[in-house]
């Protein structure tokens, strides 16, 4: 079997690698999860040269029985849906000219091409569902708070749990208990209920009406065929109204931008990140020149949006209103979960675009690509993306979203689906 070093040369999935694996089972982490002896940059030039002196909570738990072989390439600070805004761009194993999805594209690529490999990534807005769909693997995003975020380079404080990529659903079931659990170092993880696997089964799903409007023909066909297959598997499918989803996505980006603005304020050339600016400059000029040099275009845009959304009256009309939309969205989901085990949507509105197209895509078009993947993350809900079809040889995914703390329903859904649907590995699988 070809080594992960050879795989990296072909697909550019890793930002850093270990010399060798000392255990049979391997795993990797996205570049915003820290581990000793591995550089952690979150895909940004701002953090080049940062080598953490401690392990994150998930790394500590995983390395007990597994080898960490590398950190994977991603969008800068997790800002993007195609993994083209970081320092390196990973290549899709089904077509190297195409995007792996974002923000954790390198992680999904590693899970796709390395046998029995588990990749950990983070998701503040579909950053697991998007690359899982584009690379044809399973991607599990737990409930916010299920997994400790200690040791994660934080950009969005109220979203962004650590999740799992794998080519087999059984690996999700095996490793979710490993990385889950309370951690006093992370207050968001201290009040979680016990993780129970195998207690709940997928019996009924709700499909939002009009969910396939505006998606590609290939995604629509794969999704409709999958819905019919679920019906044949005795899963009840009901179409429901969820108008709040139209508002959840823009509100999600407002909250992401405002939280990122605060969390990235420390990267000013004095306290965190690079510190090679001209200290003879006045404060404002120094900070501006330094942040202009080391932040990428998408990160700067998020900071500008976040700053604007919290200025004066904008705080009420944009930021506080977005918090209200989040509450309405959670209530809408909870209303659906009274009668259904999960909400079912496509993971992405189209198959993986070419990297050349993704690089020049407008910010609005990029944001709209996450209209299915962002709402669950916005509400802190768990979700799983599973391969459900192929369009011109490229993978298509669909996403199950469950109620808070109900990861067992998602694991059952992934297992049930895998036993009925033939998941294709890329021909270049290593």
């Amino acid at each position: 079997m070809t080594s992960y070093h050879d795989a990296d040369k072909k697909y550019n999935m890793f930002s850093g690698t270990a010399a060798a694996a000392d255990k049979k089972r391997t795993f990797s982490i996205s570049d915003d999860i820290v581990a000793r002896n591995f550089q952690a940059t979150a895909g940004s030039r701002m953090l080049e040269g940062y080598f953490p002196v401690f392990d994150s909570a998930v790394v500590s738990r995983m390395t007990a029985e597994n080898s960490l072989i590398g950190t994977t390439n991603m969008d800068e600070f997790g800002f993007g849906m195609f993994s083209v805004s970081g320092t390196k761009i990973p290549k899709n194993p089904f077509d190297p000219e195409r995007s792996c999805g974002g923000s954790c594209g390198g992680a999904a690529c590693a899970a796709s091409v390395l046998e029995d490999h588990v990749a950990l990534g983070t998701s503040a807005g579909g950053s697991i569902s998007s690359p899982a769909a584009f690379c044809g693997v399973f991607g599990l995003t737990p409930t916010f708070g299920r997994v400790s975020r200690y040791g994660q380079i934080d950009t969005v404080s109220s979203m962004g749990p650590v999740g799992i990529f794998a080519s087999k659903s059984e690996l999700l079931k095996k490793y979710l208990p490993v990385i889950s659990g309370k951690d006093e170092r992370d207050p968001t993880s201290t009040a979680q209920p016990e993780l129970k696997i195998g207690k709940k089964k997928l019996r009924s799903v709700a499909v939002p009406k009009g969910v396939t409007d505006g998606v590609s023909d290939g995604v629509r066909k794969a999704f409709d065929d999958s819905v019919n297959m679920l019906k044949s598997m005795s899963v009840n499918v009901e179409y429901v109204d969820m108008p709040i989803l139209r508002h959840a996505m823009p509100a999600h980006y407002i909250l992401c931008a405002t939280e990122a603005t605060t969390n990235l304020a420390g990267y000013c050339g004095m306290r965190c990140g690079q510190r090679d600016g001209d200290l003879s400059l006045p404060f404002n000029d120094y900070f501006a020149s330094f942040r202009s040099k080391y932040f990428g275009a998408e990160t700067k845009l998020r900071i500008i949006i976040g700053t604007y959304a919290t200025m004066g009256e904008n705080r009420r009309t944009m930021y506080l209103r977005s918090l209200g939309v989040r509450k309405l969205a959670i209530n809408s989901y909870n209303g659906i979960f009274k009668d259904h085990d999960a909400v079912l949507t496509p993971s992405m509105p189209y198959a993986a675009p070419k990297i050349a197209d993704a690089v020049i895509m407008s910010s609005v078009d990029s944001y709209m690509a996450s209209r299915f993947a962002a709402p669950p993350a916005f509400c802190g809900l768990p979700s799983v993306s599973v391969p459900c079809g192929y369009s011109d040889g490229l993978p298509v995914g669909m996403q199950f979203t469950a109620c808070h703390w109900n990861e067992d329903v998602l694991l059952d859904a992934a297992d049930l689906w895998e036993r009925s649907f033939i998941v294709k590995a890329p021909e270049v699988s290593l």
Side-chain angles (χ1 to χ4, degrees):
M1 183 174 66
T2 305
S3 73
Y4 57 88
H5 295 289
D6 292 331
D8 184 42
K9 292 177 182 178
K10 188 169 186 178
Y11 301 108
N12 203 31
M13 64 187 80
F14 290 114
S15 54
T17 57
D22 58 5
K23 298 179 180 119
K24 182 177 180 181
R25 183 79 71 179
T26 65
F27 77 102
S28 57
I29 54 175
S30 59
D31 199 25
D32 58 345
I33 301 173
V34 308
R36 282 176 292 186
N37 302 320
F38 286 89
Q39 181 178 232
T41 70
S44 177
R45 291 180 60 222
M46 181 67 77
L47 284 171
E48 285 181 350
Y50 169 52
F51 285 84
V53 295
F54 68 102
D55 287 335
S56 61
V58 291
V59 169
S60 296
R61 292 172 178 178
M62 286 290 291
T63 50
E65 297 182 0
N66 309 275
S67 287
L68 174 59
I69 61 171
T71 56
T72 51
N73 288 319
M74 57 179 290
D75 279 306
E76 184 178 20
F77 291 112
F79 299 144
M81 293 303 293
F82 304 106
S83 289
V84 295
S85 68
T87 53
K88 296 180 182 178
I89 300 176
K91 302 175 183 178
N92 193 301
F94 284 83
D95 180 352
E97 292 186 358
R98 294 184 180 270
S99 163
C100 283
S103 62
C104 300
C109 181
S112 179
V113 303
L114 300 177
E115 185 177 356
D116 290 337
H117 182 77
V118 171
L120 304 183
T122 61
S123 176
S127 296
I128 290 177
S129 287
S130 165
F134 283 175
C135 292
V137 296
F138 294 85
L140 175 67
T141 305
T143 304
F144 182 80
R146 173 67 76 188
V147 179
S148 173
R149 299 169 75 240
Y150 175 77
Q152 182 178 329
I153 296 174
D154 209 3
T155 51
V156 182
S157 301
S158 67
M159 293 169 266
V162 177
I164 306 172
F165 295 95
S167 60
K168 302 174 183 177
S169 65
E170 65 186 54
L171 295 177
L172 304 181
K173 185 179 297 186
K174 178 177 181 179
Y175 285 100
L176 179 60
V178 174
I179 64 173
S180 298
K182 299 177 181 180
D183 184 351
E184 293 183 354
R185 299 168 298 183
D186 175 17
T188 66
S189 75
T190 58
Q192 61 178 277
E194 180 185 356
L195 175 64
K196 298 179 180 179
I197 295 179
K199 298 295 184 181
K200 295 183 180 180
K201 303 293 184 181
L202 181 72
R203 304 298 185 194
S204 176
V205 298
V207 178
K209 293 178 181 178
V211 74
T212 57
D213 293 347
V215 305
S216 70
D217 292 339
V219 169
R220 181 181 296 106
K221 182 180 186 308
F223 185 74
D224 289 344
D225 289 346
S226 298
V227 169
N228 291 330
M229 186 179 295
L230 284 172
K231 292 178 180 178
S232 71
M233 296 156 58
S234 300
V235 175
N236 178 51
V237 178
E238 181 181 349
Y239 288 85
V240 300
D241 290 312
M242 289 191 73
I244 192 63
L245 295 183
R246 294 196 302 271
H247 307 289
M249 195 275 292
H252 161 266
Y253 276 101
I254 292 295
L255 293 188
C256 279
T258 55
E259 292 180 15
T261 298
T262 299
N263 286 328
L264 296 178
Y267 299 106
C268 61
M270 289 187 173
R271 296 162 53 196
C272 305
Q274 303 290 351
R275 287 180 289 181
D276 62 352
D278 182 1
L279 292 174
S280 66
L281 294 173
F283 280 162
N284 288 343
D285 293 341
Y286 174 79
F287 296 151
S289 63
F290 185 86
R291 289 160 68 84
S292 296
K293 178 180 178 180
Y294 286 109
F295 280 145
E298 185 62 30
T299 299
K300 294 173 188 175
L301 178 60
R302 301 292 180 108
I303 292 173
I304 291 171
I305 292 173
T307 302
Y308 180 78
T310 53
M311 292 174 60
E313 182 64 13
N314 295 342
R315 176 178 170 79
R316 182 183 66 83
T317 59
M318 298 179 70
Y319 175 65
L320 294 181
R321 186 169 293 178
S322 294
L323 289 176
V325 172
R326 173 188 271 172
K327 181 63 175 178
L328 292 174
I330 292 174
N331 290 341
S332 179
Y333 273 110
N334 286 339
I336 298 297
F337 293 139
K338 291 179 181 178
D339 301 311
H340 303 281
D341 299 314
V343 172
L344 180 66
T345 67
S347 298
M348 293 293 285
Y350 40 74
K354 290 188 175 181
I355 293 173
D357 295 331
V359 168
I360 62 174
M361 188 177 295
S362 71
S363 295
V364 173
D365 288 338
S366 177
Y367 297 164
M368 288 302 296
S370 66
R371 61 182 180 270
F372 304 125
F378 177 59
C379 297
L381 295 166
S383 62
V384 65
S385 177
V386 303
C388 73
Y390 298 88
S391 174
D392 296 327
L394 298 173
V396 172
M398 66 179 178
Q399 177 181 261
F400 294 90
T401 300
C403 192
H404 294 105
W405 314 114
N406 283 3
E407 289 87 355
D408 49 351
V409 170
L410 301 178
L411 294 174
D412 181 71
D415 179 64
L416 178 69
W417 184 253
E418 188 177 28
R419 285 188 273 115
S420 302
F421 178 80
I422 299 176
V423 178
K424 299 179 183 178
E427 293 183 1
V428 294
S429 184
L430 302 172

